[in-house]
């Protein structure tokens, strides 16, 4: 007989035997078999309870409660998964012993339907905080304070006051010309005078903001902002006609001014999304920066700006028009007592978050600078500012268009800021020829950085094109509209911080104060953009050392050179001016005693080790600057 027949025979015999057993025996046997089977299944389940909640196949068992406590003895599976495909390669049971904790039941009974009442009004969140007993102190910006916008002053209108004291004490060496009439030092008379200078400058800014709306989740409906700045400044030189065109004013100057740095109305026009994407309109004197580092235009000017965000703040845009204000000469603040200048700036830009990679911002900018200045203008110190005392010293009209890309963010551990602009257009009358000229200029800057725990390493590179022929029909030196660069050490750097005059070539500055471009304009505050300039190369590096949470030490070294020198040779009537400006070395110690921006003190020292080009213009000088800056914010 084969195996199948044997099995069938055994099955048949067993069936025949069961048929002949008494019914009582059959019932007892069936009960015994069922009980044994159920008990075996129960013991098997008790022995193996899979508690891996991340495994969808056993989630039903993992969440099943067990009487006697909230924890139980479980058997967990160790799972090995292929990182690329996600395929489960191996499963291995791992037993874990857990102590069973008795369940705890609340003594508070469950609420019944009768315990629920109809809706009743409750106080807003500010009055709830008041009811909890938090104190209000108008001098404490970190606790409940009605003048810091922590609660409305009436309805849903808020008021916020910010006060900033910015104090600067500076000792410096700057190339200074000998006065036209004479010098203050007997026995000496030459083109280049004594370089020692001292400065004290105090700005007290009071920002008053009155706005409506719950700004926790959305922009304010209305905002009125007014920011006056009260300035006092003192300057001392060692040459007469340095502080004023009148030699009778001597070698020092006291001056004060009240500037209006913000006075605008902001109207929230509409929301365009569930997460408060919006459009707003702002009209008046308002601060604005065209890019991340202030390379093209960063100032507070009068104008109108339409701005907003889209796609959950992934895109931000600005459409702006500004008409430039006159500045106070000695403080650099807005002077609203003067008429608006005949100089218009139009800017459109778009920010794109996480483009091309998560953590990096990209921005596209288009700008138009239109100048129609036709009146002679003398500054507070009676020096001519428009037209610039350079070349033919004549008024110029120009139409300049800027197209630029800016990026800021990080790629992994690498931080990166990059900026590139092309400027093109035309000007009515070249600086040296008086003929119409086409503007074709370029600019590029990049600053990579790497964070190593408490150390940040930085590199800096910048190129601004220069004009290699001041007598042709092209102006190829790059010039910004109103720059204020935060780059390569910023105002810690000697070259960026100090304004160096072009002595013997016209009453213009080789470089402006708080600027990086050698654009040969009369001043950044009053002058016109000049696209007939030598251009610049800059390559440098720096390191920031966070010695303590409240103490940072920074070092910067920048190598500087002119891109072209033909313009300088023509202006100075001097041949063979070398391209090398020199090596700019600086160090800064920044102290924040409360680890916040409320008190910031900075002590910095910078020195320019003059290269051959700088020595050709100013002799064997290695000028320095020593700066103490204290900022107090309420």
């Amino acid at each position: 007989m084969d195996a199948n027949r044997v099995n069938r025979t055994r099955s048949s015999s067993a069936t025949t035997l069961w048929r002949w057993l008494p019914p009582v025996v059959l019932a007892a046997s069936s009960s015994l078999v069922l009980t044994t089977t159920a008990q075996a299944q129960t013991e098997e389940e008790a022995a193996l309870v899979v508690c891996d909640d991340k495994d969808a196949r056993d989630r039903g068992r993992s969440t099943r409660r067990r009487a006697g406590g909230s924890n139980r003895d479980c058997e967990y599976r160790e799972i090995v998964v292929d990182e690329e495909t996600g395929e489960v390669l191996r499963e291995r049971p791992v037993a874990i012993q857990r102590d069973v904790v008795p369940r705890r039941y609340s003594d508070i009974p469950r609420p019944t339907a009768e315990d629920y009442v109809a809706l009743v009004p409750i106080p807003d969140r500010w009055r709830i905080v008041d009811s909890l007993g938090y104190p209000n102190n108008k001098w404490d910006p970190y606790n409940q304070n009605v003048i810091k916008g922590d609660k409305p002053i009436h309805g849903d209108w808020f008021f916020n006051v910010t006060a900033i004291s910015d104090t600067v004490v500076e000792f410096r060496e700057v190339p200074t010309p000998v006065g036209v009439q004479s010098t203050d030092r007997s026995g000496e008379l030459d083109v280049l005078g004594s370089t020692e200078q001292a400065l004290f400058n105090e700005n007290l800014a009071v920002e008053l903001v009155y706005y409506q709306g719950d700004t926790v989740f959305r922009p304010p409906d209305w905002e009125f902002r007014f920011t006056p700045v009260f300035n006092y400044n003192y300057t001392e030189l060692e040459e007469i006609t340095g502080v004023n065109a009148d030699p009778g004013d001597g070698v020092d100057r006291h001056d004060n001014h009240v500037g209006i740095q913000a006075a605008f109305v902001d109207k929230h026009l509409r929301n365009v999304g569930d997460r408060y994407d919006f459009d707003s309109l702002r009209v008046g004197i308002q601060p604005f920066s065209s890019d991340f580092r202030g390379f093209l235009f960063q100032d507070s000017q009068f104008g109108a700006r339409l701005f907003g965000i889209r796609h959950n703040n992934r895109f931000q845009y600005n459409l702006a028009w500004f008409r430039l204000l006159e500045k106070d000469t000695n403080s650099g603040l807005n002077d609203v007592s003067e008429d608006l200048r005949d100089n218009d700036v139009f800017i459109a830009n778009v920010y794109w978050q996480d483009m091309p990679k998560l953590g990096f911002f990209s921005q596209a900018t288009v700008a138009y600078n239109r100048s129609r200045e036709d009146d002679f203008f003398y500054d507070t110190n009676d020096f001519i500012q428009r037209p610039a005392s350079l070349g033919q010293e004549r008024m110029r009209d120009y139409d300049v268009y800027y197209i630029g890309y800016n990026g800021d963010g990080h790629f992994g551990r690498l931080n990166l800021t990059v900026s590139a602009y092309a400027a093109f257009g035309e000007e009515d009358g070249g600086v040296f020829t008086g003929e119409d000229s086409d503007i074709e200029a370029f600019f590029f800057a990049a600053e990579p950085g790497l964070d190593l725990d408490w150390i940040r390493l930085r590199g800096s590179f910048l190129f601004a094109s220069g004009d290699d022929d001041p007598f042709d029909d092209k102006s190829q030196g790059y010039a910004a509209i109103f720059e204020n660069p935060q780059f390569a050490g910023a105002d810690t750097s000697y070259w960026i911080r100090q304004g160096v005059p072009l002595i013997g070539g016209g009453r213009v500055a080789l470089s402006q104060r708080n600027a990086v471009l050698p654009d040969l304009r009369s001043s950044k505050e009053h002058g016109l953009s000049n696209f007939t300039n030598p251009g610049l190369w800059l390559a440098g590096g720096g390191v920031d050392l966070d010695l303590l949470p409240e103490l940072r030490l920074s070092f910067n070294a920048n190598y500087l050179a002119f891109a072209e020198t033909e313009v300088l040779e023509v202006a100075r009537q001097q041949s063979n001016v070398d391209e090398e400006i020199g090596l700019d070395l600086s160090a800064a110690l920044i102290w924040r005693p409360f680890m916040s921006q409320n008190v910031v003190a900075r002590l910095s020292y910078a020195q320019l080790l003059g290269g051959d080009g700088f020595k050709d213009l100013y002799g064997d000088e290695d000028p320095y600057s020593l700066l103490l800056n204290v900022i107090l914010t309420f």
Side-chain angles (χ1 to χ4, degrees):
M1 293 170 49
D2 58 16
N4 292 334
R5 291 187 61 188
V6 171
N7 291 335
R8 285 198 300 272
T9 302
R10 291 175 179 173
S11 175
S12 175
S13 301
T15 303
T16 304
L17 178 61
W18 284 109
R19 288 176 180 175
W20 291 103
L21 289 175
V24 175
V25 175
L26 288 174
S29 301
S30 300
S31 176
L32 178 62
V33 171
L34 293 174
T35 302
T36 304
T37 303
Q39 183 178 359
Q41 292 176 349
T42 303
E43 292 177 355
E44 182 180 357
E45 288 187 2
L48 179 60
V49 179
V50 179
C51 300
D52 188 357
D53 287 339
K54 297 181 180 179
D55 191 344
R57 295 172 298 177
D58 298 283
R59 186 170 295 172
R61 288 185 179 181
S62 68
T63 57
R64 185 164 51 191
R65 296 184 178 274
R66 182 179 181 185
S70 57
N71 297 328
R72 57 189 173 179
D73 297 338
C74 301
E75 183 173 323
Y76 286 76
R77 285 199 302 274
E78 181 181 74
I79 301 176
V80 180
V81 180
D82 190 308
E83 294 182 355
E84 296 182 356
T85 64
E87 179 183 359
V88 178
L89 302 179
R90 184 174 70 255
E91 297 185 4
R92 184 169 64 89
V94 178
I96 298 178
Q97 183 69 25
R98 289 186 177 180
D99 296 330
V100 177
V101 180
R103 288 186 178 176
R104 296 179 179 178
Y105 297 93
S106 173
D107 295 332
I108 303 175
R110 288 187 176 183
T112 63
E114 291 75 13
D115 295 324
Y116 291 95
V117 298
L119 294 176
V120 296
I122 62 173
D124 55 42
R125 64 176 181 271
W126 303 286
R127 290 167 182 82
I128 290 177
V129 171
D130 289 341
S131 67
L132 295 177
Y134 285 91
N136 288 275
N137 189 337
K138 293 182 180 181
W139 305 109
D140 184 359
Y142 290 102
N143 283 297
Q144 284 292 103
N145 193 330
V146 67
I147 66 171
K148 298 299 291 184
D150 291 335
K151 59 185 294 186
I153 58 174
H154 64 86
D156 59 349
W157 286 86
F158 296 78
F159 186 66
N160 191 1
V161 177
T162 301
I164 301 174
S165 171
D166 188 348
T167 306
V168 171
V169 178
E170 186 173 11
F171 301 95
R172 63 198 182 198
E173 285 184 339
V174 177
T176 307
V178 171
V180 178
Q181 296 85 355
S182 179
T183 177
D184 194 51
R185 295 170 291 111
S186 60
E188 296 189 22
L189 184 62
D190 205 340
V191 176
L192 299 175
S194 179
T195 60
E196 294 289 339
Q197 299 182 11
L199 168 73
F200 174 82
N201 189 83
E202 169 65 27
N203 281 324
L204 177 61
V206 181
E207 183 179 68
L208 309 173
V209 186
Y210 180 55
Y211 59 96
Q212 180 192 39
D214 181 358
T215 60
V216 175
F217 303 106
R218 60 185 179 86
D221 298 319
W222 287 93
E223 180 179 342
F224 301 87
R225 188 179 298 248
F226 180 65
T227 307
V229 179
F230 305 89
N231 172 267
Y232 169 78
N233 60 85
Y234 170 78
T235 303
E236 181 179 343
L237 282 64
E238 293 190 351
E239 294 292 343
I240 60 174
T241 70
V243 296
N244 197 286
D246 184 357
D249 284 352
V251 297
D252 60 358
R253 177 184 63 228
H254 298 264
D255 196 15
N256 59 83
H257 181 72
V258 179
I260 307 301
Q261 299 305 104
F264 65 78
V265 177
D266 187 319
K267 178 66 177 76
H268 182 72
L269 300 178
R270 61 172 182 164
N271 294 318
V272 293
D274 295 337
R275 299 192 178 184
Y276 296 110
D277 291 343
F278 68 89
D279 294 314
S280 287
L281 178 65
R282 181 173 294 180
V283 179
I285 301 174
Q286 54 189 289
F288 181 75
S289 181
S290 63
D291 52 60
F292 299 107
R293 295 296 185 94
F295 287 122
L296 178 63
F297 179 83
Q298 186 181 67
D299 196 18
S300 183
Q301 294 285 356
F302 174 81
R305 180 162 66 102
L306 178 68
F307 62 99
I309 61 176
R310 291 294 187 275
H311 295 286
N312 195 22
N313 201 28
R314 184 155 192 188
F315 296 96
Q316 305 170 21
Y317 75 90
N318 289 280
L319 297 172
W321 160 77
F322 297 100
R323 172 151 286 202
L324 300 189
L325 294 159
E326 290 291 1
K327 301 285 186 178
D328 176 66
T329 305
N330 299 322
S331 67
L333 301 175
N334 291 333
D335 188 353
V336 296
S337 65
E338 297 283 349
D339 294 336
L340 293 173
R341 295 175 55 177
D342 196 359
N343 192 333
D344 296 295
V345 177
F346 301 86
I347 297 178
N349 60 26
V350 176
Y351 295 81
W352 189 347
Q353 289 194 46
D354 302 328
M355 176 63 188
K357 194 180 186 314
L358 184 69
F360 193 82
F361 279 68
S362 287
Q363 184 223 50
T365 299
V366 177
Y368 168 44
N369 186 13
R370 170 191 175 276
S371 176
R372 297 294 185 270
E373 305 278 9
D374 56 3
D375 294 329
F376 281 62
F377 180 82
Y378 291 81
D379 64 22
T380 306
N381 303 321
D382 297 327
F383 295 114
I384 190 169
Q385 295 289 335
R386 296 194 298 270
S389 182
L390 177 70
Q392 293 191 356
E393 196 169 319
R394 61 188 299 274
M395 301 298 296
R396 295 180 297 114
D397 295 341
Y398 52 76
D399 295 273
V400 189
Y401 303 88
Y402 296 86
I403 297 178
Y405 169 80
N406 297 276
D408 187 71
H410 67 90
F411 293 89
R413 297 186 63 184
L414 176 66
N415 303 303
L416 179 64
T417 295
V418 63
S419 182
Y421 285 103
F424 58 93
E426 59 184 18
E427 58 181 343
D428 178 16
V431 174
F432 292 95
T433 65
E435 302 293 332
D436 293 350
S437 179
D438 294 330
I439 298 171
E440 298 176 1
F442 305 94
F443 172 88
F444 176 79
E447 188 168 81
L450 184 64
D451 291 325
L452 303 173
D453 196 10
W454 54 281
I455 301 173
R456 167 169 285 195
L457 303 175
R458 290 179 286 102
S460 302
F461 176 81
L462 182 146
F463 169 72
S465 63
D467 195 339
D468 60 356
D469 186 356
F471 295 107
D472 64 6
D473 59 353
K474 290 186 178 180
S475 301
Q476 297 175 307
Y478 180 83
I481 302 173
F482 196 100
E483 61 169 324
N484 188 14
Q486 306 301 308
F487 178 78
D491 54 3
T492 297
S493 158
Y494 181 90
W495 177 261
I496 296 177
R497 174 71 181 178
Q498 305 301 332
V500 179
L502 180 65
I503 301 173
R507 195 169 187 88
V508 294
L510 180 65
S511 65
Q512 303 291 330
R513 190 170 176 86
N514 297 326
V516 68
L517 301 173
D519 53 5
L520 300 183
R521 65 201 305 177
S522 55
S523 70
K524 189 171 70 171
E525 291 77 16
H526 302 296
L528 301 174
S529 297
N530 177 23
F531 299 90
T532 305
N533 65 66
L536 182 72
W537 289 96
L538 183 151
V543 58
D544 297 331
L545 307 174
D546 289 328
L547 306 179
L548 297 169
E550 63 271 23
L551 187 64
R552 170 176 291 182
L553 180 62
S554 296
F555 296 97
N556 292 279
N558 299 317
Y559 175 78
L560 300 154
F562 298 116
E564 310 288 347
T565 60
E566 286 78 4
V567 175
L568 297 174
E569 293 173 354
V570 171
R572 286 282 298 260
Q573 296 293 301
Q574 177 181 345
S575 62
N576 300 322
V577 175
D578 196 84
E579 295 178 349
E580 185 182 47
I581 299 173
L583 186 62
D584 185 355
L585 304 176
S586 61
L589 190 65
I590 303 170
W591 181 47
R592 301 182 307 152
F594 302 110
M595 291 181 286
S596 70
Q597 297 302 111
N598 292 83
V599 178
V600 180
R602 181 180 62 177
L603 178 66
S604 65
Y605 178 83
Q607 187 157 22
L608 179 64
L609 304 180
D612 291 339
F614 193 84
K615 292 179 180 179
D616 289 340
L617 297 174
Y618 303 108
D620 295 330
E621 290 284 348
D622 293 329
Y624 76 91
S625 66
L626 178 64
L627 171 72
L628 173 63
N629 180 211
V630 178
I631 300 177
L632 308 176
T633 303
F634 169 76

